[in-house]
Amino acid sequence: SALPEKKMIFKGLTVNKEDMNKLMLTPRVHYPLPGGSALITFEEAKVAQRIIDMREHTVELSCGDELDRCRVRVQAVPVEMLLPAALEVRLTQSSRSILVSDLPALGISKEALLDKLELFFSKTKNGGSEVESREFLDDSDQVVLTFTQDGVAESLIEKGHIQVLIGKGKYKVKISPCMSGDIANLQLQPSCCPRTVLLLGIPDVLSEESMRDTLEIHFQKASRGGGEVDALAYVPAGRTGVAVFVEDTG
């Protein structure tokens, strides 16, 4: 009951009471890529496993008639990473901050809205006091207001909702506790991406676009153990890259 209100989508049915307070964590992994490598994601996991099992692949390049001198060998290895298996978070409620949500859509900038909220909540007649800081939470329409005095946040939170005067209009906003979390325990387990393969040892002999097209054409052919390619990212030699892995919903 002390947590701020947030819209959620439940994708399962909770049967056991022991499961009701569990938090489902969706990982977002940043995976470093060295130069001369490529990540290739196939539509089917069995194709990726077949490419990994073959290990070494000879890729023919478009170099005219001298095919013997236009072949490169690349190594195919699995994409392995550590994913969270269990996470314990210790929550702490701020004594001077509040979370303001259900904000109206006024067609003004976020900075202008922050100014109007600060002006309203800085007045003692509205239950507030001097505002020390204000900010929008990342990727949300919620604002954190921090006051210079103790006790102000608690009295506003007890109200739950408050009518805020902005310009000539009054708008009902929700006031919730501002919670901060510290990771108390994190357990990781090794995991392997089922549909993605890491290609290593790619020489810098073609332009970036040409090499990407050549690799995709090669690994799409069933005669070479490949299959339909869902995505491909290539990092030329001498450069580095970062791939972002999210939950596989395919």
Side-chain angles (χ1 to χ4, degrees), residues 56-160:
E56 188 173 278
H57 298 263
T58 301
V59 180
E60 293 186 358
L61 307 181
S62 299
C63 299
D65 297 329
E66 301 180 45
L67 293 179
D68 290 339
R69 301 174 59 185
C70 297
R71 291 175 181 158
V72 297
R73 288 185 174 89
V74 299
Q75 304 292 321
V77 297
V79 177
E80 298 175 334
M81 60 185 68
L82 292 175
L83 294 181
L87 175 67
E88 182 181 343
V89 179
R90 185 184 297 112
L91 294 177
T92 304
Q93 181 176 332
S94 172
S95 62
R96 292 188 178 183
S97 299
I98 61 173
L99 186 68
V100 184
S101 56
D102 294 347
L103 294 170
L106 301 177
I108 59 177
S109 67
K110 287 187 174 182
E111 194 65 28
L113 181 56
L114 287 175
D115 289 340
K116 294 182 182 297
L117 289 174
E118 180 178 352
L119 179 63
F120 179 87
F121 283 101
S122 63
K123 297 178 180 179
T124 54
K125 68 177 183 179
N126 296 328
S129 73
E130 183 182 353
V131 175
E132 182 179 279
S133 64
R134 78 279 170 90
E135 64 174 335
F136 268 94
L137 287 181
D138 292 338
D139 301 323
S140 77
D141 294 323
Q142 301 174 332
V143 170
V144 175
L145 294 177
T146 301
F147 300 98
T148 58
Q149 300 178 14
D150 289 325
V152 178
E154 185 178 355
S155 62
L156 288 171
I157 291 169
E158 288 179 355
K159 295 179 180 180

Side-chain angles (χ1 to χ4, degrees), residues 165-220:
L165 181 64
I166 301 178
K168 297 181 179 180
K170 282 188 175 182
Y171 307 92
K172 185 178 180 181
V173 300
K174 181 177 176 62
I175 308 297
S176 306
C178 183
M179 311 295 293
S180 60
D182 295 318
I183 296 178
N185 183 29
L186 174 61
Q187 298 177 16
L188 301 173
Q189 65 179 10
S191 180
C192 183
C193 293
R195 298 191 299 120
T196 302
V197 176
L198 176 61
L199 304 176
L200 299 173
I202 304 172
D204 189 15
V205 292
L206 292 179
S207 67
E208 185 174 347
E209 184 178 355
S210 296
M211 181 61 78
R212 189 186 301 113
D213 292 342
T214 298
L215 292 172
E216 184 169 353
I217 292 171
H218 176 91
F219 286 101
Q220 275 184 338

Side-chain angles (χ1 to χ4, degrees), residues 214-246:
T214 298
L215 292 172
E216 184 169 353
I217 292 171
H218 176 91
F219 286 101
Q220 275 184 338
K221 294 182 178 180
S223 60
R224 291 165 177 165
E228 288 298 321
V229 174
D230 192 23
L232 190 147
Y234 165 59
V235 180
R239 292 165 52 183
T240 58
V242 176
V244 180
F245 286 85
V246 295

Side-chain angles (χ1 to χ4, degrees), residues 4-22:
E5 184 177 299
K6 185 173 180 62
K7 293 181 180 180
M8 298 182 180
I9 299 177
F10 291 93
K11 297 183 178 180
L13 176 64
T14 300
V15 178
N16 300 321
K17 291 183 179 180
E18 293 79 8
D19 296 333
M20 293 186 67
N21 292 323
K22 289 185 178 179

